[in-house]
Amino acid sequence: MLRILNVVLSRCTVLAQLMRVPLPRPVTPRVLGVDDFALYGGTYGTLLVDATTRLPVTLWEGRDAEQLSRWLREHPGVEIACRDGSLTYRQGIAAGAPDAVRVSDRFHLWQGLSRRVQEVAAAHRSCLSAALPALEPPGSEFPEDAEADPGAADTPAGRHAQRLFEAVHALTVAAGVVVFLAGPDAGYITGARIPVDGGLGAMSGQPRVEI
């Protein structure tokens, strides 16, 4: 661009001038996301993100509850705080924004749920085979309920997959797995109740989602 404008100026000088331009004053988001990130080696930092616009708000080195609570006190207006399962961030949000609704972020909620499902499935592996439907004999190509369900697959593999899905769904309902998710554009979870063999609380000793 400088060559086109016939301006004799180095790009380093231009960048230095741009760095002197003050940044706009950050607006306190209504929905704040709090998470950590790795800087290098074992050094971590804290990142605050506007969960509505998905834009970063600020960051600093370290994971300190007092620093987070001080930032929240200096920037009132946070109504929902979305975080992971860190006790440090929980304490910082409770001290800095006690009236804010604290929720678990979608990634860590699904991560904890998937791990717990794997543990439950591994513990009951021996009894899972009894809950699965038996395969159809090779000669049964058209079951009696084919007319009742015109959308069903007309192959033994397709019908077996349908029965397998229904069996897993019945087991899931019987176990009482209930998950309430926010809209796809929200980026955070508004609540969850997972009472499966102790639920997610069995992993950390406390519920991961707070309302």
Side-chain angles (χ1 to χ4, degrees):
M1 178 65 71
L2 295 176
R3 187 180 298 112
I4 295 175
L5 297 177
N6 198 20
V7 176
V8 182
L9 193 64
S10 68
R11 57 183 179 181
C12 295
T13 303
V14 175
L15 291 176
Q17 294 298 323
L18 290 176
M19 294 296 293
R20 294 181 181 180
V21 177
L23 296 175
R25 185 177 181 84
V27 178
T28 302
R30 187 182 70 88
V31 183
L32 179 68
V34 182
D35 205 351
D36 58 354
F37 66 97
L39 286 172
Y40 49 86
T43 303
Y44 290 85
T46 297
L47 173 65
L48 304 186
V49 178
D50 188 334
T52 303
T53 62
R54 301 183 180 181
L55 296 177
V57 178
T58 186
L59 54 87
W60 58 75
E61 182 178 352
R63 295 178 288 189
D64 183 61
E66 176 59 30
Q67 191 169 3
L68 176 59
S69 62
R70 182 170 59 252
W71 188 94
L72 290 171
R73 288 191 296 267
E74 295 174 353
H75 301 81
V78 175
E79 300 178 8
I80 302 175
C82 178
R83 63 174 181 84
D84 59 6
S86 171
L87 180 61
T88 300
Y89 292 148
R90 177 183 179 183
Q91 294 173 345
I93 295 172
D99 297 331
V101 177
R102 285 167 284 164
V103 299
S104 178
D105 64 86
R106 179 180 299 175
F107 171 79
H108 290 92
L109 183 62
W110 279 113
Q111 184 184 57
L113 175 61
S114 62
R115 288 178 178 175
R116 190 56 183 163
V117 169
Q118 290 179 358
E119 294 175 0
V120 173
H124 301 278
R125 180 178 301 177
S126 59
C127 60
L128 289 178
S129 57
L132 298 179
L135 284 171
E136 288 186 359
S140 58
E141 293 293 334
F142 300 97
E144 297 179 358
D145 58 346
E147 297 180 357
D149 187 9
D154 57 354
T155 61
R159 290 190 294 272
H160 178 70
Q162 179 65 26
R163 291 195 302 273
L164 180 62
F165 170 79
E166 294 174 354
V168 173
H169 178 71
L171 291 175
T172 303
V173 174
V177 178
V178 181
V179 179
F180 300 99
L181 302 179
D185 297 331
Y188 54 90
I189 303 299
T190 58
R193 178 171 63 86
I194 310 178
V196 179
D197 193 17
L200 292 181
M203 299 192 307
S204 59
Q206 58 190 2
R208 290 293 302 275
V209 178
E210 305 166 19
I211 300 299

